[in-house]
């Protein structure tokens, strides 16, 4: 099997597992300390990936920044932006002004998403060995369903949203026999929020 980059999937959720309000807004579920933590982790990744749903809903910058908005690491060290999906990136999108874009990557990398394993395998040839996935629920669910996630970072806010916008959608699990077991490798309090880091359970404990 082709070498794949390390895939870290991150999301922010309410205590009831919602990733957005009914109108699609999700900024910000968690507080400043959690967001600082996310930006530091972005800075450590080779690339940052979102689906077109998140790109169109949130117009994210996909940069690693300080709380005051400056770049956390120089442009050359910023994670390369990757957008998965077929819809075009609107011309006014913030990601088109991403500081990592230049000679090596003139535009955000695009992946079709129909075969995520094959798409991700292409990234290692481009020197991308770690990918920080920032959503949304559609992409996160597909990566989980395909068994492509090495590490999950779940930021949990002491808040409720209810409604249909779950952090994770259908994983194709019909009954308990198919449950996707994880191991908690770290828990941390960040201001009012919790960060839980989890990895897929080793086969013998699944
Ligand atoms: N709380 C959080 O941490 C967080 C993080 C990010 C986003 N959000 C929220 O989540 C919402 C957007 O979620 P979303 O699920 O619509 O967006 P998404 O996961 O960012 O994007 C989904 C889109 O990606 C494309 N795609 C291509 N291959 C895919 C595959 N294998 N699996 C899934 N999608 C694939 C499809 O679009 P095409 O038709 O273009 O191919 C699909 O509609 C917004 O409300 C946003 O605010 C929350």
């Amino acid at each position: 099997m082709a070498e794949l980059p390390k895939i870290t999937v991150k999301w922010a959720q309410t205590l009831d597992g919602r990733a957005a309000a009914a109108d699609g807004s999700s900024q910000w579920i968690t507080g400043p300390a959690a967001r600082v933590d996310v930006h530091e982790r972005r800075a450590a990744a080779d690339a940052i990936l979102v689906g077109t749903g998140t790109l169109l809903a949130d117009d994210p910058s996909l940069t690693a920044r300080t709380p005051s908005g400056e770049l956390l690491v120089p442009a050359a060290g910023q994670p390369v932006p990757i957008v998965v999906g077929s819809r075009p990136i609107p011309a006014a999108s913030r990601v088109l002004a991403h500081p990592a874009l230049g000679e090596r990557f003139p535009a955000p990398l695009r992946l079709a998403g129909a075969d995520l394993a094959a798409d991700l395998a292409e990234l290692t040839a481009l020197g991308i060995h770690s990918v920080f996935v920032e959503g949304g629920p559609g992409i996160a669910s597909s990566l989980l369903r395909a068994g492509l996630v090495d590490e999950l970072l779940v930021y949990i806010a002491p808040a409720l949203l209810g409604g249909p916008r779950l952090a994770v959608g259908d994983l194709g699990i019909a009954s308990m026999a198919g449950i996707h077991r994880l191991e908690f490798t770290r828990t941390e309090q960040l201001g009012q929020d919790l960060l839980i880091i989890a990895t897929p359970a080793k086969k013998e404990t699944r």
Side-chain angles (χ1 to χ4, degrees):
M1 193 175 156
E3 196 200 332
L4 295 175
K6 179 185 176 189
I7 306 298
T8 298
V9 172
K10 163 255 158 179
W11 66 75
Q13 66 167 57
T14 54
L15 192 58
D16 58 340
R18 267 58 184 184
D23 67 356
S25 58
S26 64
Q27 294 170 339
W28 302 104
I29 288 174
T30 48
R35 298 209 298 276
V36 165
D37 189 79
V38 168
H39 280 268
E40 284 169 0
R41 292 175 189 278
R42 283 182 181 181
D46 291 337
I48 181 166
L49 180 152
V50 291
T52 50
T54 297
L55 182 95
L56 295 170
D58 300 345
D59 189 18
S61 303
L62 304 184
T63 52
R65 302 182 305 280
T66 65
S68 56
E70 282 130 38
L71 294 185
L72 194 56
V73 289
Q78 288 282 329
V80 174
I82 302 175
V83 178
V84 185
S86 56
R87 284 169 286 176
I89 300 176
S93 300
R94 291 193 181 111
V95 72
L96 295 177
H98 194 287
L101 300 179
E103 214 169 294
R104 188 163 157 238
F105 298 108
L109 293 174
R110 296 299 312 259
L111 301 177
D115 182 346
L116 285 168
D119 286 346
L120 294 171
E122 284 175 22
L123 298 177
T124 47
L126 299 173
I128 293 172
H129 299 287
S130 59
V131 179
F132 197 66
V133 179
E134 294 228 25
I139 291 294
S141 304
S142 293
L143 288 168
L144 285 165
R145 196 173 169 142
L148 292 169
V149 178
D150 296 298
E151 185 179 56
L152 269 182
L153 304 182
V154 182
Y155 295 84
I156 304 174
L160 302 171
L161 274 170
R165 303 250 184 186
L166 295 165
V168 178
D170 182 17
L171 295 182
I173 298 170
S175 71
M176 280 303 289
I179 192 171
H180 191 119
R181 293 271 180 212
L182 304 168
E183 285 167 8
F184 290 165
T185 55
R186 189 179 167 93
T187 58
E188 205 176 320
Q189 177 124 19
L190 295 165
Q192 291 294 302
D193 305 313
L194 291 180
L195 165 62
I196 298 182
I197 303 183
T199 54
K202 292 185 187 69
K203 283 222 165 62
E204 60 271 22
T205 57
R206 276 181 198 171

